[in-house]
Amino acid sequence: MRMTVADVMTRKVFSVTADTPFKAIAETLITGGVSAVPVTDDGNHVIGMVSEADLLRKEEFREEFYREGYRPPLRARLRHPKSRQKADGDTAADLMTSPAITVSPTASAVGAARLMDARGVKRLAVVAPNGRLVGIVSRRDLVKLFVRSDEEIAAEIRDDVLDRSLWVDTSGVTVSVNNGVVTLSGQMDRRTEAGIAVRMTGRVNGVVDVVDKLTWKHDDSAWEAR
């Protein structure tokens, strides 16, 4: 049930080294069709990340050199305190954001999404326990969680949630999935067990929503609340 970063990450990674020149970085981004690349040392350890935005700092500040008195807009200066420094950069070492925000391939995909949101980034370098680069995971990769087929989602709910994880009789439960929306119908023995089934179903990767149409023979919710 728990999909990891390794399940969705891109393994073929374009990277650069600290001394890679500006133009070569731009060519790597264009050739690879990516918006950012990790910066690695001689041992393939990740030391930073350089993105299209980092390269564009030079264009933002270019007019400063040609028009006396010109200053970039305040929003451009405030968005990144090192914008002016990066605008002068000629190599990856000058341009990169360091240290890079990384994630383990064994981390959950949900955890990676939360880390991206918390740190305000669009991608994470994926590193092995020894710190070496093994992949990259982006927002686009994480969207893959929601494009699983309805049949695949239904099979996982039936096999892993209902038949394997609950340890109760679920033979009376029917699972149907339409565009990622799961409907659980039928009858279970206890109300609390039905609630657990719904919650666990909602945690399956690719599930957009859960429609609860389950009924039960015994309402044990009051007893559980004591």
Side-chain angles (χ1 to χ4, degrees):
M1 287 176 58
R2 179 179 177 272
M3 192 167 287
T4 67
V5 168
D7 295 321
V8 297
M9 72 182 187
T10 299
R11 297 177 184 274
K12 183 180 179 181
V13 184
F14 293 88
S15 63
V16 297
T17 58
D19 60 355
T20 301
F22 185 102
K23 186 175 180 179
I25 298 170
E27 290 173 346
T28 300
L29 293 176
I30 294 171
T31 301
V34 294
S35 60
V37 288
V39 183
T40 58
D41 62 15
D42 293 339
N44 203 35
H45 299 96
V46 179
I47 59 175
M49 185 80 73
V50 62
S51 68
E52 292 172 333
D54 294 323
L55 299 187
L56 290 174
R57 304 290 181 215
K58 190 174 290 291
E59 190 63 30
E60 282 185 329
F61 284 79
R62 183 181 299 279
E63 292 296 326
E64 184 175 336
F65 302 109
Y66 298 105
R67 294 184 184 176
E68 185 177 353
Y70 170 83
R71 296 190 74 198
L74 179 62
R75 61 180 174 79
R77 302 196 305 273
L78 294 180
R79 184 166 61 246
H80 199 297
K82 296 183 178 180
S83 293
R84 183 65 175 80
Q85 177 183 331
K86 290 192 176 188
D88 291 337
D90 294 322
T91 65
D94 303 324
L95 298 161
M96 69 183 183
T97 298
S98 181
I101 303 171
T102 63
V103 68
S104 166
T106 60
S108 71
V110 172
R114 290 175 177 170
L115 179 58
M116 285 185 198
D117 183 62
R119 301 300 294 272
V121 297
K122 298 179 180 179
R123 66 202 65 79
L124 302 169
V126 185
V127 299
N130 59 10
R132 292 183 177 179
L133 179 68
V134 295
I136 195 164
V137 61
S138 66
R139 289 178 178 176
R140 178 174 296 182
D141 294 321
L142 294 175
V143 170
K144 295 175 185 177
L145 298 176
F146 294 99
V147 294
R148 301 178 71 194
S149 70
D150 290 343
E151 293 76 16
E152 185 179 359
I153 293 171
E156 182 171 337
I157 294 170
R158 181 79 260 172
D159 297 341
D160 290 347
V161 176
L162 299 178
D163 293 346
R164 189 174 305 164
S165 299
L166 288 181
W167 293 69
V168 296
D169 181 15
T170 60
S171 59
V173 178
T174 299
V175 181
S176 62
V177 186
N178 183 28
N179 291 323
V181 178
V182 180
T183 299
L184 296 179
S185 56
Q187 189 176 65
M188 295 184 68
D189 187 54
R190 299 177 183 276
R191 182 175 182 175
T192 54
E193 294 168 352
I196 293 172
V198 171
R199 290 194 295 274
M200 293 186 69
T201 295
R203 295 171 186 164
V204 171
N205 290 305
V207 172
V208 175
D209 197 7
V210 182
V211 178
D212 179 10
K213 292 187 177 180
L214 291 172
T215 59
W216 52 86
K217 298 177 183 177
H218 307 289
D219 186 353
D220 60 339
S221 57
W223 175 262
E224 185 184 58
R226 294 179 182 179

